[in-house]
Amino acid sequence: MYIIAGLGNPGKEYGNTRHNAGYEAVDALAEKYNISVLDLKHKALIGKGMICGQKVALVKPLTFMNLSGESLRMAVDYYKVDPEEELIVISDDISLPPGQLRVRKKGSAGGHNGLKNIIKMLGTENFQRVRLGVGEKPRGYDLVDWVLGHYNKEERAAMDAAVDKAVQAVELMLEHGAEAAMNEFNRKVQNNADSVRG
């Protein structure tokens, strides 16, 4: 079984914000595969189903971003999955342009507090992740205001495309492994911003 976790903040006021890119990707997976993500447990909304022949639990932590690891620790323990092999975390990334995707097998939090808490609670950096670019904070902006801000029309269109690509990346990861998804999606990255965030 795989846990596919999308990071975000609960509450209507956080809908359509940059920090909720992970939630959007899980919602898209849920819609495509007709999985109801409404069970309230492990401090998260959870839905179980099948994707590409694999049993999955779609997870949207309700702990708010900075404590995402609390929820995932509980889910990993409950479902008895190996986080280094059977966990995929989808999150936003300010070091990538809006709409760009980056798949990783492991790595540091790169300044992302949700990932930082997950690494702390799981005790490992070695878990798969799909990162959705939301654009770099403009000069003079507060970082919190930026990641909790809403998309403009062009960004929204780019993010819709990125969410579709995230669904494809997860499908590829489940069917053929993270390497296949990295080869498919990471080669399209045309800058070295990834080295900044790790």
Side-chain angles (χ1 to χ4, degrees):
M1 179 181 222
Y2 282 81
I3 290 175
I4 302 169
L7 304 190
N9 289 305
K12 285 184 179 176
E13 67 270 34
Y14 296 108
N16 198 39
T17 59
R18 295 178 181 87
H19 235 7
N20 274 31
Y23 270 17
E24 288 190 34
V26 162
D27 287 343
L29 282 162
E31 184 175 357
K32 181 171 182 178
Y33 289 95
N34 199 27
I35 299 171
S36 175
V37 187
L38 294 174
D39 287 347
L40 186 56
K41 53 187 177 184
H42 315 310
K43 297 185 181 178
L45 289 173
I46 293 181
K48 294 200 303 186
M50 298 287 292
I51 298 178
C52 298
Q54 299 283 356
K55 288 182 182 175
V56 301
L58 299 180
V59 178
K60 295 167 66 176
L62 299 175
T63 51
F64 287 91
M65 181 63 80
N66 294 359
L67 298 176
S68 298
E70 290 185 6
S71 170
L72 291 191
R73 175 80 262 177
M74 294 167 71
V76 161
D77 290 346
Y78 180 81
Y79 293 112
K80 297 180 171 61
V81 305
D82 178 352
E84 298 193 357
E85 299 290 336
E86 299 164 320
L87 171 65
I88 299 172
V89 176
I90 310 173
S91 67
D92 62 293
D93 192 323
I94 61 167
S95 72
L96 297 173
Q100 205 156 74
L101 214 65
R102 191 81 171 164
V103 178
R104 297 292 299 269
K105 288 172 72 174
K106 59 184 181 180
S108 69
H112 191 290
N113 288 332
L115 292 174
K116 196 179 297 182
N117 189 248
I118 293 169
I119 290 168
K120 176 185 173 187
M121 295 302 291
L122 295 182
T124 181
E125 293 185 341
N126 300 332
F127 56 87
Q128 301 172 81
R129 70 261 333 239
V130 177
R131 292 158 32 189
L132 294 169
V134 295
E136 199 170 354
K137 171 181 76 73
R139 190 184 302 272
Y141 257 79
D142 177 76
L143 180 59
V144 172
D145 290 342
W146 177 247
V147 296
L148 296 182
H150 294 81
Y151 301 111
N152 63 32
K153 191 175 178 181
E154 291 77 17
E155 290 170 335
R156 181 67 263 173
M159 287 309 299
D160 287 344
V163 166
D164 287 343
K165 285 192 286 186
V167 168
Q168 295 169 34
V170 168
E171 291 169 339
L172 207 49
M173 293 164 89
L174 292 175
E175 286 192 288
H176 301 291
E179 291 282 356
M182 290 165 70
N183 289 338
E184 173 63 25
F185 292 100
N186 294 2
R187 62 186 168 80
K188 296 172 183 171
V189 176
Q190 292 167 357
N191 59 42
N192 62 358
D194 190 60
S195 61
V196 177
R197 296 272 301 210

